[in-house]
Amino acid sequence: MFFMDRRDAGRRLAAHLEHLKDAEVVVLGLPRGRVPVAADVAEALGAPLDVCLVRKLGVPFQPESGMGAIGEGGVRVINDEVVRTAGITQDELTEVEAREREVLESRARHYRAGGHWPLSRVARC
């Protein structure tokens, strides 16, 4: 399925989700392109909108390779096999996680303050 743009995708997705209009739902958008889609869906459903923020923990010497991920609320998932195979020390893991947690928290403030997307009906998830 092809869409003209993200607004078109949001409107078309909302049409498929119309059966949820009176349900108690929260629409979550993933930043980096999906929040505009989620915003249109939330508006069409009359539902609250929030963002779902996660950050990959990249291997220090090869950041595109993931060794885990973090999310809000202290969520932390580590791939122990990757950490072990790559020889990542606890200090290196802690440093990468601290750096990515700063980015995560900064983006949470930015998105929820309305600095990037119009999150007028934000629900905390």
Side-chain angles (χ1 to χ4, degrees):
M1 184 175 291
F2 293 97
F3 306 103
M4 297 298 295
D5 55 24
R6 289 185 174 105
R7 301 286 320 250
D8 178 43
R11 285 190 295 271
R12 290 168 69 182
L13 178 57
H16 286 285
L17 299 175
E18 215 169 73
H19 64 282
L20 298 173
K21 189 166 179 106
D22 294 322
E24 291 186 31
V25 298
V26 174
V27 178
L28 297 175
L30 291 169
R32 299 190 63 115
R34 293 1 168 239
V35 174
V37 174
D40 285 339
V41 171
E43 184 177 338
L45 297 179
L49 170 66
D50 199 358
V51 291
C52 183
L53 298 167
V54 295
R55 293 290 297 171
K56 174 180 69 178
L57 299 177
V59 172
F61 55 87
Q62 192 174 0
E64 290 302 313
S65 294
M67 61 180 171
I70 58 171
E72 293 181 278
V75 172
R76 179 181 190 253
V77 178
I78 303 298
N79 185 324
D80 293 326
E81 184 176 339
V82 171
V83 170
R84 186 175 47 259
T85 302
I88 306 302
T89 67
Q90 185 59 47
D91 286 345
E92 290 172 317
L93 179 58
T94 299
E95 182 182 322
V96 170
E97 183 175 352
R99 184 174 57 246
E100 294 302 331
R101 186 128 339 251
E102 284 181 25
V103 173
L104 184 82
E105 290 169 1
S106 172
R107 289 190 180 170
R109 286 189 303 273
H110 182 70
Y111 280 105
R112 293 197 177 97
H116 196 70
W117 304 109
L119 302 177
S120 57
R121 295 183 318 267
V122 173
R124 291 298 302 197
C125 300

